[in-house]
């Protein structure tokens, strides 16, 4: 089977490790030929080029700048993305007949490229739904639904609906996502919407006590504290002001130390707070290379997830999987619409607090800091193996493709 994956994620090799490359590698291991179109933004001064690997061909497509640029350039580059992808397919893959198209949100703006290949080749289409746009932008106050400004929302909402219509199957990260898509898109056949969660190659990233102490000394982290770690984006969706409220509320929990690793638009807020209170119970670090970050997680005790309380869509952050690989229990502080907290609590590997209740977070941190976490750690690993193995996601997609073709 020839599989085409369309993405705005920068992919240079399937040997990289994340939720997309791990899944695509599973396809190649099972004998499928994988083709990837991935952007390389103009700022990197590279031409469009092909990378060939065993059972995989990656087209790095030169595009405009989308990340870390002004809104005008980002908007123009995003609008031009679809014709660039279609032109690239015609030029570089005109002799390839694709059997399956995989594509993820974000973005929804590649709908034209999906439509083109679907009708050219009669290919099956599988949407990996990783966010629900444009509603997430509305939730964050970045977009409006009414008036003149609502024109932008209605345009993207139309594209979203078109993408759902083109999709033979829609794979959602959790049951709450399935329920949301069905409830808000009555034109979508409920039978095509299924759970296909974020998944990875299951690799044990935990460390023994000696290694843990060595890592903590390297990064100047206390040896005698329970380390609560947050890793990932530090932007508006994460509700950073509430995270700071929680850090302030937990200042009297002497057994707890907080480690925050990441970057984003709200990093400055945390940096100012960290400078104000000092580094005795909080360490803030810029983003690390993935291998270094994974190693550092293994030396921590509890993973943290934060989501802004205004969200009406059910986000399901993929950083959960990195924590589980390190055998960390997880404290999720989220809006009530996502089911990530329910999954964690029902799976016996952590706690959930609503992300408008710093007092409850304080109570939970105090409890976790004093508790023996060995059983919760074991439960996190067992749940990862059972539910989030990339092999399970691969089988879900292939099973769905067979049903569509029958």
């Amino acid at each position: 089977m020839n599989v085409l994956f369309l993405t705005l994620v920068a992919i240079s090799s399937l040997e990289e490790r994340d939720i997309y490359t791990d899944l695509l590698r599973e396809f190649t291991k099972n004998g499928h030929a994988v083709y990837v179109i991935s952007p390389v933004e103009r700022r990197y001064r590279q031409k469009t080029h092909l990378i060939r690997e065993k059972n995989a061909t990656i087209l790095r497509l030169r595009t405009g700048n989308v990340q870390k640029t002004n809104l005008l350039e980002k908007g123009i580059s995003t609008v031009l993305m679809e014709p660039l992808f279609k032109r690239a397919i015609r030029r570089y893959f005109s002799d390839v007949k694709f059997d399956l198209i995989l594509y993820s949100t974000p973005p929804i703006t590649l709908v034209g490229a999906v439509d083109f290949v679907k009708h050219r080749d009669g290919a099956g289409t599988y949407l990996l739904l990783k966010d629900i746009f444009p509603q997430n932008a509305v939730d964050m106050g970045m977009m409006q639904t009414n008036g003149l400004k609502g024109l932008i929302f209605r345009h993207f909402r139309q594209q979203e609906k078109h993408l759902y219509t083109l999709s033979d199957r829609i794979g959602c990260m959790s049951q709450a996502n399935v329920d949301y898509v069905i409830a808000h898109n009555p034109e979508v056949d409920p039978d095509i919407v299924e759970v296909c969660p974020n998944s990875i190659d299951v690799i044990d990233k935990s460390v023994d006590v000696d290694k843990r102490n060595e890592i903590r000394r390297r990064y100047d982290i206390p040896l005698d504290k329970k380390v609560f770690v947050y890793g990932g984006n530090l932007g508006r969706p994460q509700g950073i002001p509430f995270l700071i409220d929680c850090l302030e509320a937990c200042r009297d929990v002497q057994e707890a130390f907080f480690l925050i690793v990441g970057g984003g638009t709200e990093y400055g807020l945390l940096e100012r707070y960290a400078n104000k209170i000092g580094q005795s119970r909080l360490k803030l670090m810029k983003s690390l290379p993935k291998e270094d970050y994974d190693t550092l997680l293994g030396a921590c005790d509890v993973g943290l997830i934060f989501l802004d309380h205004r969200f009406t869509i059910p986000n399901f952050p993929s950083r959960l999987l990195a924590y589980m690989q390190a055998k960390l229990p997880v404290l999720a502080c989220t809006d009530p619409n996502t089911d990530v907290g329910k999954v964690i609590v029902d799976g016996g590997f952590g706690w959930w607090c609503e992300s408008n209740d710093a007092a409850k977070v304080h109570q939970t941190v105090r409890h976790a800091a004093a508790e023996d976490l060995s059983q919760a750690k074991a439960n996190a690993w067992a749940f990862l193996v059972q539910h989030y193995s990339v092999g399970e996601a691969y089988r879900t997609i292939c099973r769905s493709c067979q049903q569509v073709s029958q």
Side-chain angles (χ1 to χ4, degrees), residues 139-244:
D139 291 345
M140 293 296 96
M142 300 167 67
M143 198 175 288
Q144 295 181 15
T145 60
N146 299 315
L148 189 60
K149 293 183 178 179
L151 289 173
I152 299 173
F153 168 81
R154 289 189 288 276
H155 167 72
F156 283 122
R157 179 67 169 133
Q158 187 177 23
Q159 283 197 309
E160 179 193 11
K161 285 179 174 289
H162 188 190
L163 194 65
Y164 293 163
T165 301
L166 279 174
S167 302
D168 295 323
R169 284 287 190 274
I170 301 174
C172 298
M173 296 180 291
S174 70
Q175 187 59 47
N177 280 263
V178 170
D179 296 341
Y180 184 96
V181 170
I182 293 172
H184 291 81
N185 301 277
E187 69 280 2
V188 173
D189 180 357
D191 290 340
I192 75 167
V193 189
E194 64 186 1
V195 175
C196 184
N198 295 329
S199 61
I200 51 173
D201 269 338
V202 176
I203 301 171
D204 187 347
K205 296 286 187 177
S206 62
V207 299
D208 60 26
V209 174
D210 290 341
K211 183 67 174 178
R212 185 200 70 168
N213 290 342
E214 174 195 327
I215 295 167
R216 288 195 181 190
R217 291 189 186 98
R218 185 191 313 162
Y219 289 101
D220 194 24
I221 297 168
L223 303 182
D224 59 344
K225 305 278 189 182
K226 286 277 179 65
V227 177
F228 293 73
V229 60
Y230 176 91
N233 190 45
L234 298 168
R236 195 178 297 183
Q238 286 69 47
I240 301 306
F242 177 73
L243 168 56
I244 292 173

Side-chain angles (χ1 to χ4, degrees), residues 129-147:
L129 191 69
K130 304 303 183 187
D131 75 351
I132 297 175
F133 178 86
Q135 185 57 47
N136 57 358
V138 174
D139 291 345
M140 293 296 96
M142 300 167 67
M143 198 175 288
Q144 295 181 15
T145 60
N146 299 315

